[in-house]
């Protein structure tokens, strides 16, 4: 992990851009801390540049409450090389949606599973790097989309102690099977009137998670309209499980 | 409204028992306040004696945050006279459950609607009495069950500004129709694995509410296992809408 910049972005928050191997990412930390802080990984749908304003808002909230926050570009997004297979699946998805056709299970698999398979080892490598910094300690939380990535990470990464998962993306059948084996505390966010999302599928996925301690928060406001107060609710959730 | 006792129950909370007409109730207030405080009505399934410990816990949390809290015995519960028709419906319910039979719409109507019709005017009279006290001001919140009572109150009582509704009871068809006309901010609590409750009916009722600002919180833990942190979440919800 190589840090490429170090800037103050106000409100007592330091932002450090980095490259992990060839993957760009960002770490946010309190400008002054006396002891190592717990870490929240910020999931997103891909495209750090496009997502920057929302990620900074989320990171600032966590850093204000005494956490570090970090994120990593997803495979095939931003400046990272595209995969021909995933690009084909994305083209097929656009075609299916434009034609008003249903999105088949095969298409969801081609779209999401290669991304999960590629991204999860990268986020685990990010954890290796971040937890070796003197400023950061475990346990670790994960917050955000893509829910298939968060589910896989919750299943395979023992350093992950709790997760806030955004149920707003296509869910491969394999993710339901993995969800049954997940047992860390979960807060699942659902946008109730998200036209592009299958509400019943999200409820079924929430039901499938094996965790004894799981909570669903459903709100109005469409796919990108998650209310601001859910940021606070997520922070209270992490306070209960990472402190 | 006649106050019958006035005691300190610790943590800076004063408890005043009262009789409204012939209906017993309890008011909780901060022991020292400089200005009138907003009010939260505490709903419950009936039986103030039986529910006392949980009601006191909920009241203390609200009073600590600078609210008054109040509750009223339900018609036909505690020491209040029974209605022959509702008692017959309760007997029919016990019989149906013991026999493993379904609970018919007719039975739900006979069980719940007379209670709603009788209770809602009483809670409105309670509001008249409480809002005339110098210690209390509007707006007012309602928190708890029975969801058919909370829904009717949200529809007909303009002083009610926000409600936390517990979706854990039988819902008459009329309540779905009333829910469509409700437009105040709502937080609906659902116990996901409540064997005695119809989860799909609760989700359908949440969907039916006309409020633009509505949130569903679903948790594990059975009918009586609402997690302690939902008390805090409810308080944050009221802070957003009653302050």
């Amino acid at each position: 992990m190589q840090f490429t910049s170090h800037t103050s972005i106000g409100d007592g928050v330091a932002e450090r851009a980095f490259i992990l191997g060839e993957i760009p990412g960002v770490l946010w930390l309190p400008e002054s801390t006396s002891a190592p802080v717990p870490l929240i990984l910020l999931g997103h749908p891909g495209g750090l540049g496009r997502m920057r304003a929302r990620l900074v808002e989320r990171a600032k909230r966590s850093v204000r409450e005494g956490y570090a926050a970090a994120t990593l570009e997803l495979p095939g997004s931003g400046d990272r090389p595209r995969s021909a297979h995933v690009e084909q699946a994305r083209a097929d998805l656009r075609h299916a949606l434009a034609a008003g056709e249903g999105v088949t299970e095969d298409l969801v698999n081609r779209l999401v599973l290669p991304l999960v398979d590629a991204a999860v080892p990268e986020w685990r490598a990010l954890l290796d790097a971040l937890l070796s910094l003197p400023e950061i300690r475990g346990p670790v939380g994960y917050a955000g989309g893509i829910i298939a990535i968060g589910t896989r990470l919750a299943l395979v990464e023992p350093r992950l102690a709790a997760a806030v998962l955004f149920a707003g993306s296509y869910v491969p059948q394999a993710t339901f099977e993995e969800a049954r084996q997940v047992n860390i505390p979960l807060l699942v966010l659902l946008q109730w009137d998200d036209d592009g999302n299958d509400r019943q599928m999200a409820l079924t996925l929430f039901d499938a998670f094996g965790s004894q301690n799981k909570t669903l928060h459903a709100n109005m406001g469409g796919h990108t309209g998650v209310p601001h107060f859910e940021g606070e609710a997520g922070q209270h959730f992490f306070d209960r499980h990472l402190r």
Side-chain angles (χ1 to χ4, degrees), chain A residues 1 34 39 45 60 62 69 77 79 89 95 102 112 123 153 159 167 189 191 211 213 220 222 234:
Chain A
M1 171 183 262
S34 51
L39 171 67
K60 278 190 169 181
S62 296
S77 288
D79 296 332
H95 179 83
V112 181
W123 286 82
L153 202 59
R159 291 169 292 187
L189 301 183
Q191 288 300 92
S211 309
N213 186 332
M220 303 299 107

Side-chain angles (χ1 to χ4, degrees), chain A residues 86-135:
Chain A
V86 173
E87 288 305 297
Q88 184 58 52
R90 285 181 181 169
D92 293 347
L93 175 67
R94 281 191 297 271
H95 179 83
L97 293 179
E101 295 168 6
V103 180
T104 64
E105 196 175 313
D106 172 67
L107 178 50
V108 171
N109 286 342
R110 289 193 290 123
L111 199 63
V112 181
L113 289 183
L115 190 58
V116 175
D117 290 342
V120 167
E122 295 175 355
W123 286 82
R124 301 188 73 186
L126 174 64
L127 269 190
D128 292 340
L130 292 174
L131 290 173
S132 71
L133 298 176
E135 296 93 336

Side-chain angles (χ1 to χ4, degrees), chain A residues 2-226:
Chain A
Q2 294 223 299
F3 287 102
T4 57
S5 74
H6 186 156
T7 47
S8 168
I9 58 168
D11 300 331
V13 180
E15 178 178 293
R16 298 192 204 170
F18 62 79
I19 300 286
L20 180 75
E22 296 185 333
I23 313 166
V26 187
L27 169 65
W28 294 273
L29 281 168
E31 288 194 293
S32 59
T33 47
S34 51
V37 291
L39 171 67
I40 297 173
L41 300 175
L42 302 183
H44 58 84
L48 287 193
R50 184 171 66 93
M51 297 298 296
R52 180 175 161 77
R54 297 183 65 142
L55 286 165
V56 166
E57 185 194 353
R58 293 163 60 195
K60 278 190 169 181
R61 184 184 300 115
S62 296
V63 172
R64 271 199 305 268
E65 300 296 326
Y67 294 79
T71 194
L72 202 59
E73 186 59 278
L74 288 186
S77 288
D79 296 332
R80 298 190 61 187
R82 302 305 190 248
S83 138
H85 289 101
V86 173
E87 288 305 297
Q88 184 58 52
R90 285 181 181 169
D92 293 347
L93 175 67
R94 281 191 297 271
H95 179 83
L97 293 179
E101 295 168 6
V103 180
T104 64
E105 196 175 313
D106 172 67
L107 178 50
V108 171
N109 286 342
R110 289 193 290 123
L111 199 63
V112 181
L113 289 183
L115 190 58
V116 175
D117 290 342
V120 167
E122 295 175 355
W123 286 82
R124 301 188 73 186
L126 174 64
L127 269 190
D128 292 340
L130 292 174
L131 290 173
S132 71
L133 298 176
E135 296 93 336
I136 298 176
R137 64 168 176 84
V140 178
Y142 177 91
I146 293 171
I147 200 163
I149 293 177
T151 302
R152 172 78 61 84
L153 202 59
L155 180 60
V156 302
E157 175 50 69
R159 291 169 292 187
L160 202 70
V164 178
L165 300 177
F166 181 60
S169 34
Y170 296 106
V171 182
Q173 203 52 44
T175 300
F176 288 90
E177 285 146 33
E178 293 174 13
R180 288 186 188 92
Q181 304 166 62
V182 168
N183 54 27
I184 62 170
L186 298 178
L187 172 58
V188 177
L189 301 183
L190 168 63
Q191 288 300 92
W192 192 255
D193 54 353
D194 179 352
D195 286 338
N197 189 31
D198 183 334
R199 182 196 300 164
Q200 188 53 56
M201 179 176 278
L203 294 171
T204 304
L205 181 59
F206 174 70
D207 194 49
F209 281 110
S211 309
Q212 284 297 305
N213 186 332
K214 59 181 176 181
T215 298
L216 175 74
H217 285 188
N219 288 286
M220 303 299 107
H223 187 80
T224 58
V226 178

